[in-house]
Amino acid sequence: MTTNQNQNVVRFITAGSVDDGKSTLIGRLLYDTKSILVDQLESLSKTKHARVTSSDAGVDLALLTDGLEAEREQGITIDVAYRYFSTPKRKFIVADAPGHEQYTRNLVTGASQSDVAVILVDASRVDLNTSPATLLAQTKRHAAIVHLLGLRHVVFAVNKMDLYEFDEKVFNTIKTSIEDLTHKIGLPKPTLIPISALLGENVVTPSKNTPWYKGPTLLQWLEGLDTSPESEKLALRFPVQYVARQDGSASDDFRGYLGEIESGSIRKGQKIKVLPSGSEATVTEIYLGNRSSSKQINGNNAVESAQTGQAIAIQLSEDIDISRGSLFISAEDTNPPVLSKQISADLCWLDSEPLSLSRKYALRHTTNTVGAKVKNIQQVLDVQTLSQASDVHALSTNEIGRINFILQKPIVTDLFDQSQRTGAFILIDEATNHTVAAGMIREALAQ
């Protein structure tokens, strides 16, 4: 995919607490951009739903994303629903994430594939009698997760403003509380938009009820974002997933290294370094796709260069010791990743069983999997007060904490702040094979 194509596609997720209106917002975007088929509208107009009694569209817009029968029966989103729509300016892929605390892991999954987060805040459920106004705990948790996952663009959509007759003072009170939240968790100064997803106010078209608001509608804000991948601007990171050998013919002495470019680019004739060994070689051929046989050596899949996100096979000028988990970087890289056996990481704990210091875990990082032992829990985030508790000895479902690990063998890693693709990992319980946490590496002690 070229940079221009990447720029034209916006991947965003809706976050926030249950019943904040996330599904209705997406339904409104689909409806007002005319991205709904006639038969879909006819089907939905016959469906009753407890959450919404009426709308100017004559249908329950939330049902456009709530695809599971259980979701429609219970009136909540359970799984991440992906929908697609477009305008003359851009194409959009939107993930409707569950708001219920029980399904926080689904939010983490959806957010990890997004560039943008739209965090909804239900104005009617904010306690305006405190100073600053008190936001829901799940709103705080989702904002913290969005920050930890490194999403580049975040907007807070203050929903259901129609219930306050679009009162500017109410919006400003909530705005102060949101700015206090983002300051405490480390998000940059936020964009805030007063909306009514049900009525379509400031979602696609500007609202006449908010003459005091001079900013863009939500769709205008999304259309104006710079979403060119940051990873394209970073140094080369190519984790080897598979080593392909010759197919049995003595005349075919092919040896290729297959994988996906996590960041940067690679070109024919470039000198690369292989980590952790430190061996160097020159790229002699690059093939798009999974080339495992030299029969395609003169085919159309041979290219001069490749970019972030492309699956390729690489031939080198020399046969050197390379296996799954090896990492290719540029030989001229002045800030190479670190070889480390001790790391400190922020974890979003996803499993029903709490983190245990005695349990065996496997840490899956790029194409590498190593045993990991929890050394200690450094601190855990209290989502109510947004403070860090350092005297906690467990990490339970949906909690966020800073954990120190000792690895069975070293991994080659960047810090998450430097490279999200090679600074993140998932943690697997070796006894149950469950994915128990998503992790972001913050410190790595060099070997």
Side-chain angles (χ1 to χ4, degrees):
M1 184 177 288
T2 66
T3 300
N4 287 338
Q5 288 173 318
N6 279 325
Q7 269 279 59
N8 196 40
V9 178
V10 176
R11 295 175 174 83
F12 71 94
I13 187 169
T14 55
S17 188
V18 65
D19 285 338
D20 279 356
K22 298 181 295 298
S23 297
T24 301
L25 173 66
I26 297 174
R28 171 60 62 187
L29 286 167
L30 295 172
Y31 184 82
D32 284 1
T33 57
K34 297 178 172 56
S35 301
I36 309 171
L37 299 176
V38 174
D39 58 341
Q40 284 180 293
L41 282 175
E42 291 177 350
S43 175
L44 291 174
S45 65
K46 301 174 184 177
T47 305
K48 300 296 183 182
H49 196 285
R51 282 183 297 191
V52 181
T53 56
S54 65
S55 76
D56 58 359
V59 297
D60 182 352
L61 296 174
L63 294 180
L64 290 168
T65 56
D66 286 348
L68 300 177
E69 187 65 28
E71 293 178 327
R72 299 189 180 202
E73 290 176 353
Q74 298 179 48
I76 61 171
T77 300
I78 296 173
D79 199 5
V80 179
Y82 292 91
R83 292 295 181 265
Y84 310 86
F85 69 97
S86 62
T87 69
K89 294 183 178 180
R90 308 196 84 148
K91 298 177 182 178
F92 298 89
I93 303 173
V94 52
D96 180 23
H100 198 282
E101 183 178 350
Q102 178 182 352
Y103 305 111
T104 299
R105 64 182 298 152
N106 301 55
L107 168 82
V108 173
T109 300
S112 66
Q113 303 298 318
S114 303
D115 303 308
V116 182
V118 178
I119 301 179
L120 267 77
V121 178
D122 184 343
S124 68
R125 300 170 72 195
V126 177
D127 186 350
L128 303 176
N129 296 317
T130 61
S131 183
T134 304
L135 302 170
L136 295 175
Q138 193 69 338
T139 302
K140 299 176 184 179
R141 180 180 285 108
H142 284 196
I145 290 173
V146 163
H147 169 58
L148 288 176
L149 292 175
L151 271 69
R152 295 166 54 199
H153 306 283
V154 181
V155 60
F156 286 82
V158 182
N159 193 23
K160 305 183 185 180
M161 284 298 298
D162 53 301
L163 299 180
Y164 287 102
E165 298 181 344
F166 299 94
D167 189 330
E168 181 182 7
K169 292 182 179 179
V170 171
F171 176 76
N172 286 337
T173 300
I174 297 173
K175 178 182 177 182
T176 299
S177 182
I178 292 173
E179 289 176 341
D180 181 65
L181 165 66
T182 56
H183 175 72
K184 287 181 178 178
I185 64 178
L187 278 171
K189 188 174 181 179
T191 297
L192 291 97
I193 303 176
I195 70 166
S196 170
L198 183 63
L199 303 180
E201 305 283 344
N202 284 333
V203 178
V204 173
T205 55
S207 172
K208 296 180 180 179
N209 294 307
T210 55
W212 43 267
Y213 173 69
K214 307 301 181 182
T217 66
L218 179 61
L219 183 61
Q220 289 171 341
W221 183 83
L222 290 168
E223 285 180 327
L225 292 176
D226 175 10
T227 56
S228 56
E230 285 291 311
S231 53
E232 288 187 353
K233 307 170 187 176
L234 300 176
L236 171 65
R237 297 291 185 267
F238 178 80
V240 175
Q241 183 174 6
Y242 180 71
V243 180
R245 299 302 305 273
Q246 64 185 43
D247 58 7
S249 170
S251 61
D252 183 2
D253 192 23
F254 176 79
R255 181 183 178 98
Y257 309 99
L258 282 60
E260 181 179 320
I261 301 176
E262 297 291 358
S263 65
S265 61
I266 193 168
R267 68 183 186 280
K268 190 175 176 180
Q270 180 178 354
K271 194 169 184 179
I272 59 97
K273 179 180 289 188
V274 181
L275 299 178
S277 68
S279 301
E280 296 186 359
T282 301
V283 177
T284 57
E285 296 290 348
I286 302 173
Y287 302 93
L288 290 180
N290 294 332
R291 182 195 182 283
S292 58
S293 170
S294 63
K295 293 177 181 178
Q296 301 177 21
I297 201 163
N298 294 317
N300 295 327
N301 58 345
V303 295
E304 292 296 313
S305 63
Q307 313 295 323
T308 299
Q310 290 185 311
I312 60 173
I314 297 173
Q315 274 187 287
L316 299 178
S317 57
E318 302 174 45
D319 287 343
I320 52 182
D321 184 17
I322 298 173
S323 60
R324 178 183 173 89
S326 296
L327 182 72
F328 290 8
I329 67 171
S330 170
E332 301 175 353
D333 196 328
T334 57
N335 188 29
V338 175
L339 180 66
S340 179
K341 198 175 178 180
Q342 296 187 50
I343 62 170
S344 179
D346 287 330
L347 286 192
C348 295
W349 193 256
L350 310 173
D351 199 42
S352 57
E353 291 292 326
L355 177 143
S356 170
L357 274 66
S358 60
R359 210 167 181 90
K360 292 183 177 180
Y361 298 105
L363 186 145
R364 185 165 296 170
H365 171 260
T366 64
T367 57
N368 226 343
T369 302
V370 301
K373 177 178 175 56
V374 178
K375 182 179 179 182
N376 66 289
I377 300 173
Q378 189 172 326
Q379 58 190 27
V380 176
L381 175 68
D382 184 331
V383 294
Q384 292 288 357
T385 64
L386 299 177
S387 61
Q388 300 284 354
S390 57
D391 57 346
V392 181
H393 303 289
L395 197 63
S396 302
T397 309
N398 300 323
E399 288 191 322
I400 300 167
R402 178 71 58 88
I403 313 298
N404 296 323
F405 289 97
I406 298 176
L407 308 182
Q408 190 176 35
K409 63 179 182 179
I411 60 172
V412 179
T413 181
D414 291 289
L415 300 185
F416 185 78
D417 292 339
Q418 298 169 340
S419 175
Q420 295 179 15
R421 301 297 294 272
T422 52
F425 63 88
I426 59 173
L427 201 65
I428 300 168
D429 188 318
E430 290 189 341
T432 63
N433 208 34
H434 289 170
T435 299
V436 295
M440 288 66 68
I441 298 173
R442 301 302 182 183
E443 296 180 33
L445 185 63
Q447 285 289 98

mmCIF file of all heavy atoms in Angstrom, residues 383-407:
data_model
loop_
_atom_site.group_PDB
_atom_site.id
_atom_site.type_symbol
_atom_site.label_atom_id
_atom_site.label_comp_id
_atom_site.label_asym_id
_atom_site.label_seq_id
_atom_site.Cartn_x
_atom_site.Cartn_y
_atom_site.Cartn_z
ATOM 1 N N VAL A 383 -7.886 3.751 38.502
ATOM 2 C CA VAL A 383 -8.616 4.524 37.490
ATOM 3 C C VAL A 383 -9.559 5.546 38.114
ATOM 4 O O VAL A 383 -9.987 6.490 37.427
ATOM 5 C CB VAL A 383 -9.403 3.600 36.538
ATOM 6 C CG1 VAL A 383 -8.460 2.754 35.713
ATOM 7 C CG2 VAL A 383 -10.387 2.738 37.299
ATOM 8 N N GLN A 384 -9.907 5.381 39.380
ATOM 9 C CA GLN A 384 -10.787 6.358 40.022
ATOM 10 C C GLN A 384 -10.033 7.654 40.324
ATOM 11 O O GLN A 384 -10.504 8.746 40.015
ATOM 12 C CB GLN A 384 -11.364 5.768 41.317
ATOM 13 C CG GLN A 384 -12.341 4.633 41.099
ATOM 14 C CD GLN A 384 -13.678 5.100 40.539
ATOM 15 O OE1 GLN A 384 -13.906 6.294 40.352
ATOM 16 N NE2 GLN A 384 -14.565 4.162 40.272
ATOM 17 N N THR A 385 -8.842 7.517 40.931
ATOM 18 C CA THR A 385 -8.070 8.698 41.327
ATOM 19 C C THR A 385 -6.976 9.053 40.330
ATOM 20 O O THR A 385 -6.375 10.114 40.409
ATOM 21 C CB THR A 385 -7.420 8.465 42.698
ATOM 22 O OG1 THR A 385 -6.476 7.380 42.595
ATOM 23 C CG2 THR A 385 -8.472 8.111 43.739
ATOM 24 N N LEU A 386 -6.703 8.137 39.373
ATOM 25 C CA LEU A 386 -5.637 8.288 38.370
ATOM 26 C C LEU A 386 -4.261 8.373 39.019
ATOM 27 O O LEU A 386 -3.325 8.933 38.452
ATOM 28 C CB LEU A 386 -5.888 9.517 37.488
ATOM 29 C CG LEU A 386 -7.185 9.485 36.679
ATOM 30 C CD1 LEU A 386 -7.367 10.793 35.909
ATOM 31 C CD2 LEU A 386 -7.207 8.312 35.722
ATOM 32 N N SER A 387 -4.150 7.804 40.220
ATOM 33 C CA SER A 387 -2.862 7.752 40.903
ATOM 34 C C SER A 387 -2.251 6.368 40.735
ATOM 35 O O SER A 387 -2.941 5.406 40.381
ATOM 36 C CB SER A 387 -3.029 8.066 42.389
ATOM 37 O OG SER A 387 -3.887 7.117 43.004
ATOM 38 N N GLN A 388 -0.947 6.248 40.991
ATOM 39 C CA GLN A 388 -0.230 4.985 40.868
ATOM 40 C C GLN A 388 0.035 4.412 42.252
ATOM 41 O O GLN A 388 0.675 5.055 43.071
ATOM 42 C CB GLN A 388 1.095 5.194 40.123
ATOM 43 C CG GLN A 388 0.956 5.747 38.708
ATOM 44 C CD GLN A 388 0.488 4.706 37.705
ATOM 45 O OE1 GLN A 388 0.361 3.537 38.022
ATOM 46 N NE2 GLN A 388 0.253 5.138 36.473
ATOM 47 N N ALA A 389 -0.477 3.206 42.502
ATOM 48 C CA ALA A 389 -0.252 2.539 43.788
ATOM 49 C C ALA A 389 0.952 1.615 43.668
ATOM 50 O O ALA A 389 1.029 0.794 42.758
ATOM 51 C CB ALA A 389 -1.486 1.739 44.189
ATOM 52 N N SER A 390 1.903 1.747 44.584
ATOM 53 C CA SER A 390 3.145 0.966 44.506
ATOM 54 C C SER A 390 3.187 -0.185 45.504
ATOM 55 O O SER A 390 4.161 -0.933 45.540
ATOM 56 C CB SER A 390 4.350 1.883 44.751
ATOM 57 O OG SER A 390 4.239 2.536 46.006
ATOM 58 N N ASP A 391 2.158 -0.325 46.333
ATOM 59 C CA ASP A 391 2.152 -1.391 47.337
ATOM 60 C C ASP A 391 1.186 -2.519 46.967
ATOM 61 O O ASP A 391 0.670 -3.221 47.820
ATOM 62 C CB ASP A 391 1.774 -0.822 48.703
ATOM 63 C CG ASP A 391 0.417 -0.112 48.684
ATOM 64 O OD1 ASP A 391 -0.094 0.157 47.571
ATOM 65 O OD2 ASP A 391 -0.122 0.163 49.768
ATOM 66 N N VAL A 392 0.928 -2.702 45.659
ATOM 67 C CA VAL A 392 -0.010 -3.721 45.182
ATOM 68 C C VAL A 392 0.765 -4.973 44.793
ATOM 69 O O VAL A 392 1.841 -4.887 44.194
ATOM 70 C CB VAL A 392 -0.813 -3.196 43.977
ATOM 71 C CG1 VAL A 392 -1.796 -4.245 43.494
ATOM 72 C CG2 VAL A 392 -1.549 -1.913 44.355
ATOM 73 N N HIS A 393 0.218 -6.136 45.110
ATOM 74 C CA HIS A 393 0.911 -7.388 44.840
ATOM 75 C C HIS A 393 0.159 -8.284 43.862
ATOM 76 O O HIS A 393 0.462 -9.465 43.733
ATOM 77 C CB HIS A 393 1.148 -8.138 46.150
ATOM 78 C CG HIS A 393 1.924 -7.346 47.156
ATOM 79 N ND1 HIS A 393 3.269 -7.066 47.012
ATOM 80 C CD2 HIS A 393 1.528 -6.725 48.304
ATOM 81 C CE1 HIS A 393 3.681 -6.338 48.038
ATOM 82 N NE2 HIS A 393 2.643 -6.112 48.834
ATOM 83 N N ALA A 394 -0.839 -7.713 43.174
ATOM 84 C CA ALA A 394 -1.592 -8.484 42.182
ATOM 85 C C ALA A 394 -2.091 -7.546 41.095
ATOM 86 O O ALA A 394 -2.217 -6.330 41.308
ATOM 87 C CB ALA A 394 -2.767 -9.204 42.838
ATOM 88 N N LEU A 395 -2.339 -8.113 39.934
ATOM 89 C CA LEU A 395 -2.905 -7.360 38.810
ATOM 90 C C LEU A 395 -4.107 -8.147 38.331
ATOM 91 O O LEU A 395 -3.966 -9.276 37.855
ATOM 92 C CB LEU A 395 -1.872 -7.192 37.699
ATOM 93 C CG LEU A 395 -2.148 -6.110 36.648
ATOM 94 C CD1 LEU A 395 -2.163 -4.733 37.294
ATOM 95 C CD2 LEU A 395 -1.108 -6.158 35.540
ATOM 96 N N SER A 396 -5.298 -7.567 38.489
ATOM 97 C CA SER A 396 -6.535 -8.285 38.196
ATOM 98 C C SER A 396 -7.114 -7.847 36.858
ATOM 99 O O SER A 396 -6.600 -6.940 36.196
ATOM 100 C CB SER A 396 -7.551 -8.059 39.326
ATOM 101 O OG SER A 396 -7.020 -8.477 40.562
ATOM 102 N N THR A 397 -8.217 -8.488 36.478
ATOM 103 C CA THR A 397 -8.863 -8.245 35.192
ATOM 104 C C THR A 397 -9.088 -6.759 34.936
ATOM 105 O O THR A 397 -9.625 -6.046 35.789
ATOM 106 C CB THR A 397 -10.214 -8.968 35.135
ATOM 107 O OG1 THR A 397 -10.034 -10.327 35.496
ATOM 108 C CG2 THR A 397 -10.799 -8.903 33.725
ATOM 109 N N ASN A 398 -8.646 -6.303 33.767
ATOM 110 C CA ASN A 398 -8.836 -4.930 33.277
ATOM 111 C C ASN A 398 -7.993 -3.886 34.007
ATOM 112 O O ASN A 398 -8.142 -2.693 33.747
ATOM 113 C CB ASN A 398 -10.313 -4.513 33.333
ATOM 114 C CG ASN A 398 -11.195 -5.411 32.502
ATOM 115 O OD1 ASN A 398 -10.784 -5.858 31.428
ATOM 116 N ND2 ASN A 398 -12.386 -5.705 32.972
ATOM 117 N N GLU A 399 -7.110 -4.319 34.903
ATOM 118 C CA GLU A 399 -6.219 -3.365 35.554
ATOM 119 C C GLU A 399 -4.993 -3.092 34.688
ATOM 120 O O GLU A 399 -4.614 -3.898 33.841
ATOM 121 C CB GLU A 399 -5.790 -3.876 36.934
ATOM 122 C CG GLU A 399 -6.899 -3.829 37.970
ATOM 123 C CD GLU A 399 -6.394 -4.094 39.379
ATOM 124 O OE1 GLU A 399 -5.498 -4.954 39.537
ATOM 125 O OE2 GLU A 399 -6.901 -3.453 40.310
ATOM 126 N N ILE A 400 -4.384 -1.940 34.933
ATOM 127 C CA ILE A 400 -3.213 -1.500 34.170
ATOM 128 C C ILE A 400 -2.066 -1.295 35.156
ATOM 129 O O ILE A 400 -2.220 -0.582 36.151
ATOM 130 C CB ILE A 400 -3.511 -0.190 33.419
ATOM 131 C CG1 ILE A 400 -4.672 -0.389 32.432
ATOM 132 C CG2 ILE A 400 -2.263 0.308 32.690
ATOM 133 C CD1 ILE A 400 -5.235 0.911 31.895
ATOM 134 N N GLY A 401 -0.927 -1.917 34.897
ATOM 135 C CA GLY A 401 0.187 -1.804 35.826
ATOM 136 C C GLY A 401 1.536 -1.841 35.140
ATOM 137 O O GLY A 401 1.660 -2.275 33.984
ATOM 138 N N ARG A 402 2.561 -1.387 35.841
ATOM 139 C CA ARG A 402 3.942 -1.433 35.367
ATOM 140 C C ARG A 402 4.597 -2.669 36.006
ATOM 141 O O ARG A 402 4.691 -2.768 37.226
ATOM 142 C CB ARG A 402 4.678 -0.157 35.760
ATOM 143 C CG ARG A 402 6.143 -0.088 35.359
ATOM 144 C CD ARG A 402 6.346 0.089 33.857
ATOM 145 N NE ARG A 402 5.713 1.269 33.324
ATOM 146 C CZ ARG A 402 6.267 2.490 33.271
ATOM 147 N NH1 ARG A 402 7.508 2.661 33.719
ATOM 148 N NH2 ARG A 402 5.619 3.509 32.746
ATOM 149 N N ILE A 403 5.054 -3.612 35.173
ATOM 150 C CA ILE A 403 5.565 -4.892 35.629
ATOM 151 C C ILE A 403 7.007 -5.072 35.164
ATOM 152 O O ILE A 403 7.352 -4.738 34.024
ATOM 153 C CB ILE A 403 4.713 -6.069 35.080
ATOM 154 C CG1 ILE A 403 3.223 -5.795 35.277
ATOM 155 C CG2 ILE A 403 5.138 -7.389 35.719
ATOM 156 C CD1 ILE A 403 2.792 -5.666 36.708
ATOM 157 N N ASN A 404 7.856 -5.618 36.039
ATOM 158 C CA ASN A 404 9.236 -5.951 35.688
ATOM 159 C C ASN A 404 9.343 -7.442 35.401
ATOM 160 O O ASN A 404 8.864 -8.271 36.182
ATOM 161 C CB ASN A 404 10.182 -5.568 36.823
ATOM 162 C CG ASN A 404 10.212 -4.068 37.061
ATOM 163 O OD1 ASN A 404 10.143 -3.276 36.122
ATOM 164 N ND2 ASN A 404 10.304 -3.661 38.316
ATOM 165 N N PHE A 405 9.985 -7.785 34.262
ATOM 166 C CA PHE A 405 10.124 -9.173 33.837
ATOM 167 C C PHE A 405 11.596 -9.570 33.723
ATOM 168 O O PHE A 405 12.447 -8.747 33.368
ATOM 169 C CB PHE A 405 9.487 -9.393 32.451
ATOM 170 C CG PHE A 405 7.993 -9.349 32.435
ATOM 171 C CD1 PHE A 405 7.316 -8.184 32.073
ATOM 172 C CD2 PHE A 405 7.243 -10.468 32.766
ATOM 173 C CE1 PHE A 405 5.936 -8.141 32.034
ATOM 174 C CE2 PHE A 405 5.860 -10.435 32.734
ATOM 175 C CZ PHE A 405 5.205 -9.270 32.374
ATOM 176 N N ILE A 406 11.865 -10.848 33.981
ATOM 177 C CA ILE A 406 13.140 -11.473 33.641
ATOM 178 C C ILE A 406 12.839 -12.533 32.586
ATOM 179 O O ILE A 406 11.986 -13.399 32.802
ATOM 180 C CB ILE A 406 13.804 -12.118 34.871
ATOM 181 C CG1 ILE A 406 14.112 -11.050 35.931
ATOM 182 C CG2 ILE A 406 15.096 -12.838 34.467
ATOM 183 C CD1 ILE A 406 14.681 -11.617 37.207
ATOM 184 N N LEU A 407 13.515 -12.466 31.452
ATOM 185 C CA LEU A 407 13.224 -13.348 30.325
ATOM 186 C C LEU A 407 14.162 -14.550 30.318
ATOM 187 O O LEU A 407 15.298 -14.476 30.789
ATOM 188 C CB LEU A 407 13.339 -12.583 29.006
ATOM 189 C CG LEU A 407 12.534 -11.279 28.917
ATOM 190 C CD1 LEU A 407 12.710 -10.647 27.543
ATOM 191 C CD2 LEU A 407 11.059 -11.526 29.209
#
